[in-house]
C-alpha cells in the first residue's frame, strides 16, 4: 500500500468542469451537471521512494494513469459503500525534475459539503493507492525480490529494502 502526501491539490474551475462533464458522466447512472459536482485534482503517486521503500517505475506509473479512470475514493480504507466519496474520471503522468507523478482528476457530489470543506481546508491531504504487484525487482542488482513477505532479494547478497549499501 502506498501513501503519499498530496503535493498539489486544487479545485477545478467551472469552465473545465463543463469541458469534463462527458468524461464524468461515463461513470454515472443519471447525467450530472457542473452544479452537481465538486471537482479536484490530486497526485495519486510518484516515482520517489515511498515510506515502505518501494519505488514505482515509469512504465508502471504510465499504466496506472491509463487504468485510473473509474477508481473510487474511499474514506479510511473502508470498502463499505457508505464510504465511497469520490471517483477518479481521468489521470495522466507528468515529469518534473526527474520525478514522474500520476495526476488525477476526481469528482464528488456538490451536496457532500463536509467532505468538500475538508478537502478545501487541507484537512484531507493524503491519498493511499492500493494495488498488488508481481515481479518486484531489487534496485541494487535487478534480481527478483522473494515473494514471501520478507522483501529480500533473491541474489547471493540478499539485499534488503531500506538498507543502505556502499556502492563501489
Amino acid at each position: 500500500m502506498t501513501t503519499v502526501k498530496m503535493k498539489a491539490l486544487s479545485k477545478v474551475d467551472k469552465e473545465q468542469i463543463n469541458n469534463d462533464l462527458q468524461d464524468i458522466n461515463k461513470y454515472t447512472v443519471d447525467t450530472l451537471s457542473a452544479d452537481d459536482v465538486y471537482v479536484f485534482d490530486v497526485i495519486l503517486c510518484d516515482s520517489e521512494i515511498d515510506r515502505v521503500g518501494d519505488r514505482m517505475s515509469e512504465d508502471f506509473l504510465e499504466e496506472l494513469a491509463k487504468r485510473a479512470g473509474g477508481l473510487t475514493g474511499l474514506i479510511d480504507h473502508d470498502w463499505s459503500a457508505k464510504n465511497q466519496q469520490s471517483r477518479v474520471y481521468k489521470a495522466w503522468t507528468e515529469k518534473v525534475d526527474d520525478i514522474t507523478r500520476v495526476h488525477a482528476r476526481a469528482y464528488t457530489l456538490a451536496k457532500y459539503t463536509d467532505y468538500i470543506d475538508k478537502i478545501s481546508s487541507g484537512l484531507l491531504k493524503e491519498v493511499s493507492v492500493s494495488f498488488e504487484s508481481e515481479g518486484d525487482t531489487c534496485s541494487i542488482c535487478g534480481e527478483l525480490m522473494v515473494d514471501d513477505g520478507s522483501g529480500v532479494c533473491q541474489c547471493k547478497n540478499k539485499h534488503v529494502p531500506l538498507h543502505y549499501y556502499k556502492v563501489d
Side-chain angles (χ1 to χ4, degrees):
M1 182 107 38
T2 298
T3 301
V4 293
K5 290 189 175 158
M6 293 183 191
K7 296 176 181 135
L9 176 67
S10 58
K11 180 180 175 181
V12 176
D13 64 44
K14 285 281 189 193
E15 182 179 338
Q16 184 62 55
I17 294 170
N18 282 320
N19 293 335
D20 287 356
L21 280 173
Q22 185 174 355
D23 292 329
I24 291 169
N25 283 309
K26 288 178 187 174
Y27 300 103
T28 67
V29 174
D30 294 328
T31 301
L32 298 176
S33 72
D35 291 331
D36 296 325
V37 295
Y38 175 87
V39 176
F40 56 99
D41 288 341
V42 62
I43 296 174
L44 296 180
C45 59
D46 60 37
S47 60
E48 294 186 286
I49 296 173
D50 66 18
R51 66 183 169 89
V52 296
D54 291 335
R55 182 177 185 273
M56 276 65 114
S57 70
E58 289 193 24
D59 288 342
F60 173 83
L61 295 171
E62 289 288 341
E63 188 66 26
L64 176 62
K66 287 179 192 172
R67 295 179 182 215
L71 292 177
T72 302
L74 303 170
I75 300 293
D76 292 332
H77 298 273
D78 184 351
W79 284 91
S80 168
K82 70 180 177 175
N83 290 319
Q84 296 180 15
Q85 294 290 307
S86 58
R87 182 161 316 278
V88 170
Y89 64 91
K90 69 178 171 181
W92 62 95
T93 58
E94 180 177 67
K95 189 169 187 168
V96 177
D97 298 328
D98 294 329
I99 298 170
T100 301
R101 293 189 174 110
V102 178
H103 292 260
R105 186 158 293 156
Y107 71 93
T108 190
L109 295 178
K111 66 183 180 182
Y112 293 163
T113 56
D114 186 51
Y115 180 64
I116 293 166
D117 288 347
K118 288 177 182 176
I119 292 170
S120 298
S121 67
L123 293 175
L124 289 179
K125 286 191 62 90
E126 293 183 337
V127 296
S128 179
V129 181
S130 178
F131 50 84
E132 290 187 29
S133 62
E134 57 183 52
D136 295 339
T137 57
C138 176
S139 63
I140 304 293
C141 67
E143 291 290 324
L144 286 174
M145 303 301 281
V146 176
D147 193 17
D148 64 0
S150 68
V152 174
C153 175
Q154 292 182 16
C155 78
K156 66 179 178 166
N157 294 317
K158 307 244 183 263
H159 298 123
V160 178
L162 298 176
H163 182 82
Y164 291 93
Y165 295 90
K166 183 177 178 181
V167 178
D168 296 327

